[in-house]
C-alpha cells in the first residue's frame, strides 16, 4: 500500500498523544500554566487528526493501515506478521467524539482541579487515555483491542484514584480495576479460542473464516460478557455508580467515554465479527433484553439516590440501555431481513444516541461538578437556591436535563425518537418501556433541579458566584452542541450516523476493506 | 483428544474465580485475579505448542516442526499488562489499608453509606 498522507492520520492520532503524555512530566517542570497549554494543544492536534480521519473515511472509504510488513521466508511466501488498523465510518465517528469529550473535560479540569497538588501525572494519564481510546476505536485486530482496552482502563483507574487520594476514591478505583482486569482476561480468553481455531487475529480475517461452531459460541459468550461488564450493563453495573460518583467531575465525563467505547467494541464484535454468521436472532434478543433491564434498573435506582453524582451515574447506566435496545433491534432485523424496514433506523438511533449520550451525560456531570466545586457539598438535601448564583450552570443543567429526558428540541429527543419509532415495529412493549423510562428520567431531573437550584436562598451559599471561565467554556460548548444536534438532527444523521450504521451492517465491505 | 493442559487451564480458572467470589481479603482477590491471568496465559501458550517443535526464532529451521510464534508474542504482552494491573491493584490496596485499617471487604464499603 502506498503511504499517502491521509492513510497515516490514524497512527499519528495515537502516537502523538502517547509520546506527548509521557513527555508531560518534563513540560510540567515549567509550571502548570504552560502544562495546561501543552495538554490543550496536544489534544487539539489529536482532535484535528481524528476529524481528518473521519473526513477521509467518509469521502474515500475504509482506511486500512498495517504496522509492520509481511516477513519473507525462504520458500518465497510472505508471513503476514503485522498489526492492522481498519478505520471505517463508525470507528472514525466515535474516535472524533471520544476525543472531543476528553478535550472539553480537560479544559474544564484545568480550573476544577486547580490547587489539588501536582497534577502532571494526571495529565499524563489523560493523554495516554486519549491515545488508548483512539486506538480502541481504530484497531482492526482482536488482540490489539485487548491492549487498548487495558490501556484505557489502567489510565482511567489512575484518573479515578489520583486527584483525591482518599479512601473512598481508592475503594471505587479498586472496584473498577477488578472489573476491568477480569473483563480483560475473559476477553483475552475468548480471543484465544478464536485464535486457536482460525490462526488469525484481525477482525476481518476471523469474520471471513467464521464457522460459528460451539467454540465460536463460547468465544462470543466470553467476549460479549467481558465487554458488557466493562460498559456497565445491568447485571454487572455495580461498579458504575462508585467509579462515576467518586471521581472528580471531568473524570466522570471521561469515564462515560470509556463506557461508550466498550459499547462500541461490543457492537463491533456483534456486527463485524459475527454479524451474518449468527444463526438466528438470539444475540439480538439478548442485547434487547439487557437493554430493557439496564434502562429500567438504572432509572429506578436513580430515583432513590441522594448524592447528586451517584444519581447521575445511575441515569448514565439507564441511558446505556437505550443504545443496547436500538442496536439489538438492528441485529434482530439483520437476521430477519427487515433491515431496510426498521433495522437501519434502529441502529442509527442507537449510534446517534451513543454520541448524544457522551455529550449530555458529560454536560450533566460537569454541572454537578460546578455545584460541588462551589459548595463542596455532594448531597442533594443540603443544596438549594443556587439558580440565582450560577446562571450559566443552571442553563447548562436545563439543557442537559432536557436532552437526557428526550424533550425536543434537544439532541436526546432526536435519537430517542428514532429508537422509539423503529423498535415499535418489533414489539410495541419495547417502546412503551423506553418511553416510561424517559418520563421517569424527567421526573428525577425535575427533582434535582428543584432541590439544587430552586427554593429559598441558603445563607451559606450566598455570594458563591459563578464558576471560572474555563469550566464555563466547556459547559457552553456542550450545551451548544446539544441544541445544534437537536435542531438539525437530519444533517447529523445523514452526514455521519447513516454512513456509520451502513458500515456496521455491511459486514462484507468491512472484510473486503482489509483483505 | 483432550490435552492435559486444558484441564490445568480449567482448574486454574476455577481456583481464580473461587478466590474472587468467595474470599473477603482484598489481597486474596488480587491473587485470584493473578491466577486467572496465568490460566489465560497458559491457555494461549498451549495453543501454540507443537510436540517437539522448535522456537520460531530461527529463519532456517525446518518449517513443519515449529511452534506458533504469535501466541508467544501475545502472552508476552499480556504478562506485561498483568504486571501493570497487579502493581496498580496492590498500590490501591495499600492506599485502602492506610485509610480503612483493614483489607476485609466487609468493612471496605463506605461508598454505600
Amino acid at each position: 500500500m502506498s503511504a499517502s498522507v491521509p492513510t497515516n492520520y490514524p497512527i499519528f492520532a495515537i502516537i502523538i498523544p502517547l509520546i506527548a503524555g509521557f513527555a508531560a512530566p518534563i513540560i510540567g517542570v515549567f509550571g502548570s500554566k504552560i502544562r495546561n497549554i501543552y495538554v490543550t494543544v496536544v489534544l487539539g492536534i489529536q482532535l484535528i487528526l481524528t476529524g481528518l480521519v473521519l473526513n477521509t473515511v467518509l469521502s474515500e472509504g475504509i482506511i486500512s493501515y498495517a504496522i509492520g510488513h509481511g516477513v519473507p521466508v525462504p520458500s518465497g511466501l510472505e508471513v503476514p506478521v503485522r498489526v492492522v488498523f481498519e478505520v471505517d465510518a463508525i470507528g472514525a465517528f466515535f474516535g472524533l467524539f471520544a476525543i472531543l469529550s476528553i478535550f472539553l473535560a480537560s479544559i474544564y479540569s484545568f480550573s476544577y482541579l486547580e490547587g489539588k497538588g501536582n497534577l502532571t501525572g494526571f495529565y499524563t494519564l489523560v493523554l495516554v487515555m486519549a491515545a488508548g481510546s483512539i486506538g480502541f476505536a481504530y484497531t482492526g485486530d482482536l488482540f490489539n483491542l485487548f491492549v487498548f482496552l487495558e490501556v484505557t482502563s489502567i489510565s482511567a483507574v489512575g484518573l479515578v484514584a489520583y486527584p483525591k487520594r482518599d479512601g473512598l476514591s481508592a475503594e471505587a478505583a479498586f472496584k473498577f480495576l477488578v472489573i476491568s482486569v477480569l473483563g480483560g482476561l475473559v476477553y483475552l480468553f475468548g480471543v484465544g479460542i478464536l485464535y486457536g481455531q482460525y490462526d488469525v487475529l484481525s477482525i476481518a480475517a476471523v469474520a471471513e473464516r467464521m464457522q460459528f461452531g460451539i467454540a465460536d459460541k463460547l468465544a462470543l459468550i466470553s467476549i460479549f460478557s467481558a465487554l458488557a461488564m466493562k460498559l456497565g450493563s445491568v447485571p454487572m453495573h455495580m461498579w458504575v455508580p462508585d467509579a462515576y460518583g467518586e471521581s472528580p467531575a471531568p473524570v466522570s465525563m471521561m469515564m462515560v467515554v470509556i463506557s461508550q467505547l466498550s459499547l462500541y467494541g461490543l457492537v463491533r464484535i456483534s456486527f463485524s465479527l459475527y454479524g451474518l454468521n449468527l444463526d438466528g436472532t438470539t444475540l439480538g434478543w439478548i442485547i434487547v433484553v439487557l437493554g430493557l433491564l439496564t434502562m429500567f434498573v438504572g432509572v429506578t435506582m436513580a430515583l432513590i439516590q441522594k448524592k447528586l453524582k451517584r444519581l447521575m451515574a445511575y441515569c448514565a447506566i439507564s441511558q446505556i440501555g437505550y443504545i443496547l435496545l436500538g442496536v439489538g433491534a438492528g441485529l434482530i432485523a439483520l437476521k430477519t431481513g427487515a433491515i431496510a424496514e426498521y433495522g437501519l433506523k434502529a441502529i442509527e438511533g442507537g449510534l446517534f444516541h451513543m454520541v448524544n449520550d457522551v455529550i449530555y451525560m458529560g454536560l450533566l456531570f460537569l454541572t454537578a461538578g460546578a455545584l460541588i466545586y462551589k459548595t463542596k457539598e455532594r448531597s442533594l438535601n443540603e443544596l438549594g437556591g443556587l439558580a440565582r448564583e450560577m446562571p450559566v450552570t443552571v442553563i447548562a443543567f436545563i439543557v442537559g436535563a432536557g436532552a437526557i429526558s428526550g424533550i425536543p428540541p434537544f439532541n436526546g429527543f432526536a435519537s430517542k425518537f428514532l429508537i422509539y419509532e423503529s423498535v415499535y415495529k418489533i414489539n410495541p412493549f419495547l417502546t412503551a418501556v423506553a418511553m416510561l423510562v424517559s418520563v421517569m428520567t424527567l421526573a428525577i431531573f425535575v427533582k434535582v433541579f428543584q432541590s439544587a437550584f430552586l427554593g429559598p436562598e441558603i445563607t451559606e451559599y450566598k455570594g458563591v458566584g459563578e464558576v471560572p471561565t474555563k469550566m464555563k467554556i466547556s459547559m457552553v460548548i456542550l450545551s451548544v452542541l446539544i441544541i445544534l444536534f437537536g435542531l438539525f438532527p437530519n444533517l447529523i444523521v445523514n452526514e455521519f450516523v447513516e454512513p456509520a450504521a451502513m458500515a456496521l451492517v455491511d459486514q462484507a465491505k468491512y472484510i473486503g476493506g482489509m483483505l | 483428544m483432550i490435552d492435559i493442559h486444558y484441564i490445568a487451564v480449567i482448574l486454574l480458572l476455577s481456583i481464580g474465580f473461587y478466590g474472587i467470589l468467595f474470599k473477603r481479603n482484598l489481597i486474596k482477590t488480587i491473587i485470584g485475579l493473578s491466577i486467572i491471568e496465568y490460566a489465560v496465559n497458559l491457555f494461549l501458550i498451549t495453543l501454540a505448542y507443537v510436540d517437539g517443535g522448535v522456537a520460531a526464532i530461527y529463519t532456517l529451521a525446518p518449517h513443519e516442526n515449529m511452534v506458533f510464534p504469535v501466541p508467544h508474542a501475545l502472552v508476552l504482552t499480556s504478562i506485561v499488562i498483568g504486571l501493570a494491573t497487579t502493581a496498580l491493584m496492590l498500590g490501591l490496596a495499600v492506599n485502602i489499608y492506610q485509610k480503612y485499617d483493614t483489607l476485609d471487604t466487609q468493612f471496605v464499603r463506605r461508598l454505600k453509606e
Side-chain angles (χ1 to χ4, degrees):
Chain A
M1 186 191 3
S2 66
S4 60
V5 179
T7 51
N8 284 328
Y9 291 148
I11 193 70
F12 279 117
I14 298 167
I15 289 179
I16 290 174
L18 196 62
I19 294 174
F22 289 108
I26 302 170
I27 307 292
V29 174
F30 302 109
S32 61
K33 208 160 223 166
I34 291 177
R35 183 202 61 212
N36 290 354
I37 294 170
Y38 171 76
V39 173
T40 317
V41 169
V42 172
L43 285 172
I45 292 173
Q46 201 192 7
L47 190 61
I48 292 167
L49 280 172
T50 47
L52 288 172
V53 168
L54 180 61
N55 188 24
T56 316
V57 169
L58 288 180
S59 59
E60 290 169 28
I62 295 173
I63 303 178
S64 62
Y65 184 93
I67 302 159
H69 276 283
V71 180
V73 291
S75 61
L77 288 166
E78 280 208 334
V79 183
V81 180
R82 53 186 193 171
V83 177
V84 213
F85 287 133
E86 182 171 6
V87 193
D88 62 359
I90 169 172
F93 186 53
F94 280 112
L96 178 65
F97 278 95
I99 297 307
L100 181 67
S101 199
I102 294 176
F103 179 72
L104 292 174
S106 310
I107 290 179
Y108 182 95
S109 72
F110 294 146
S111 289
Y112 187 79
L113 295 172
E114 207 175 7
K116 297 214 170 171
N118 183 2
L119 286 167
T120 307
F122 180 83
Y123 289 108
T124 299
L125 289 171
V126 168
L127 290 176
V128 170
M129 185 160 99
S133 358
I134 282 299
F136 195 88
Y138 286 179
T139 188
D141 184 285
L142 284 170
F143 185 73
N144 218 355
L145 203 66
F146 164 74
V147 173
F148 285 120
L149 191 72
E150 294 289 338
V151 168
T152 48
S153 343
I154 292 174
S155 45
V157 168
L159 290 174
V160 173
Y162 191 90
K164 281 196 342 201
R165 301 191 187 89
D166 61 359
L168 287 179
S169 56
E171 188 188 332
F174 189 86
K175 226 176 199 174
F176 175 47
L177 184 56
V178 168
I179 292 291
S180 302
V181 172
L182 190 61
L185 289 172
V186 173
Y187 175 86
L188 186 59
F189 189 72
V191 172
I193 297 175
L194 287 177
Y195 180 80
Q197 298 220 71
Y198 304 116
D199 279 347
V200 278
L201 283 171
S202 83
I203 296 177
V206 175
E208 198 202 13
R209 300 176 192 192
M210 178 70 64
Q211 312 282 332
F212 206 62
I214 292 189
D216 294 327
K217 285 180 188 165
L218 199 62
L220 178 63
I221 293 170
S222 306
I223 294 177
F224 186 88
S225 46
L227 289 171
M229 193 145 73
K230 278 279 299 173
L231 69 86
S233 149
V234 142
M236 297 156 281
H237 66 287
M238 60 294 169
W239 61 272
V240 177
D242 299 345
Y244 285 23
E246 280 312 310
S247 50
V251 178
S252 308
M253 183 171 169
M254 296 179 199
M255 295 285 289
V256 175
V257 176
I258 297 296
S259 284
Q260 298 290 6
L261 278 171
S262 301
L263 188 53
Y264 158 78
L266 187 85
V267 171
R268 171 63 87 209
I269 296 292
S270 311
F271 281 86
S272 297
L273 184 62
Y274 283 87
L276 295 171
N277 290 307
L278 291 170
D279 60 349
T281 55
T282 323
L283 182 65
W285 276 110
I286 291 175
I287 297 180
V288 165
V289 170
L290 274 185
L292 287 182
L293 275 176
T294 307
M295 253 185 227
F296 197 72
V297 174
V299 85
T300 38
M301 290 297 288
L303 273 172
I304 56 173
Q305 299 300 318
K306 297 211 168 52
K307 280 186 188 166
L308 181 54
K309 285 190 64 199
R310 273 184 92 82
L311 180 146
M312 285 185 179
Y314 276 110
C315 286
I317 296 176
S318 125
Q319 294 304 308
I320 296 270
Y322 282 91
I323 304 161
L324 289 172
L325 179 62
V327 173
L331 201 58
I332 293 174
L334 194 66
K335 295 312 294 181
T336 55
I339 192 80
E341 193 195 336
Y342 60 82
L344 200 62
K345 276 269 174 295
I347 298 173
E348 277 171 19
L351 299 183
F352 193 24
H353 200 65
M354 224 191 258
V355 169
N356 290 341
D357 186 55
V358 170
I359 298 172
Y360 63 64
M361 231 32 253
L363 179 62
L364 285 170
F365 276 123
L366 293 192
T367 53
L371 291 175
I372 293 168
Y373 180 80
K374 278 295 175 191
T375 62
K376 312 275 181 268
E377 182 52 62
R378 295 170 153 258
S379 169
L380 273 174
N381 294 347
E382 311 295 325
L383 293 169
L386 286 161
R388 300 175 195 82
E389 298 288 343
M390 310 168 87
V392 178
T393 309
V394 73
I395 290 169
F397 181 83
I398 292 172
V399 172
I404 197 176
S405 330
I407 297 175
F410 303 115
N411 63 358
F413 170 73
S415 48
K416 279 185 181 177
F417 195 71
L418 276 174
I419 297 174
Y420 294 156
E421 219 179 22
S422 48
V423 299
Y424 186 81
K425 291 185 180 142
I426 295 182
N427 194 334
F429 173 72
L430 303 178
T431 309
V433 174
M435 285 180 139
L436 176 69
V437 170
S438 273
V439 173
M440 284 163 86
T441 312
L442 182 62
I444 290 168
F445 277 91
V446 168
K447 180 188 90 176
V448 175
F449 180 67
Q450 197 270 337
S451 59
F453 293 106
L454 301 183
E457 223 163 355
I458 295 178
T459 44
E460 234 178 292
Y461 303 139
K462 203 165 164 58
V464 287
E466 187 52 272
V467 291
T469 323
K470 282 173 197 150
M471 290 165 69
K472 268 191 262 179
I473 289 174
S474 292
M475 292 196 286
V476 169
I477 292 178
L478 286 169
S479 311
V480 169
L481 278 178
I482 287 178
I483 293 171
L484 279 183
F485 279 24
L487 288 179
F488 308 105
N490 285 339
L491 193 71
I492 308 292
V493 169
N494 292 341
E495 290 292 317
F496 303 110
V497 181
E498 199 174 311
M502 289 302 284
L504 209 52
V505 173
D506 197 349
Q507 196 193 7
K509 200 170 162 196
Y510 184 80
I511 295 172
M514 177 101 77
L515 301 171
Chain B
M1 191 199 92
I2 290 191
D3 200 320
I4 189 158
H5 298 97
Y6 293 124
I7 298 172
V9 169
I10 306 261
L11 270 179
L12 282 176
L13 277 180
S14 346
I15 297 172
F17 274 107
Y18 171 78
I20 295 176
L21 295 174
F22 297 110
K23 287 292 169 191
R24 288 217 207 107
N25 192 314
L26 288 185
I27 299 290
K28 287 182 183 165
T29 311
I30 298 173
I31 293 174
L33 275 171
S34 299
I35 292 175
I36 294 183
E37 189 201 322
Y38 302 146
V40 174
N41 287 346
L42 178 65
F43 177 62
L44 287 171
I45 283 291
T46 311
L47 291 174
Y49 182 71
V50 173
D51 204 18
V54 291
I57 50 174
Y58 308 109
T59 321
L60 296 174
H63 268 229
E64 62 277 9
N65 215 9
M66 201 184 265
V67 296
F68 301 113
V70 177
H72 290 148
L74 305 189
V75 168
L76 209 57
T77 316
S78 149
I79 288 173
V80 173
I81 291 174
L83 178 75
T85 48
T86 312
L88 195 52
M89 277 191 286
L90 287 171
L92 287 172
V94 169
N95 209 331
I96 289 173
Y97 187 74
Q98 283 170 347
K99 298 283 167 12
Y100 289 69
D101 269 336
T102 174
L103 283 172
D104 191 330
T105 43
Q106 267 192 315
F107 304 109
V108 185
R109 46 174 63 223
R110 284 186 206 168
L111 283 170
K112 292 264 163 62
E113 283 159 18

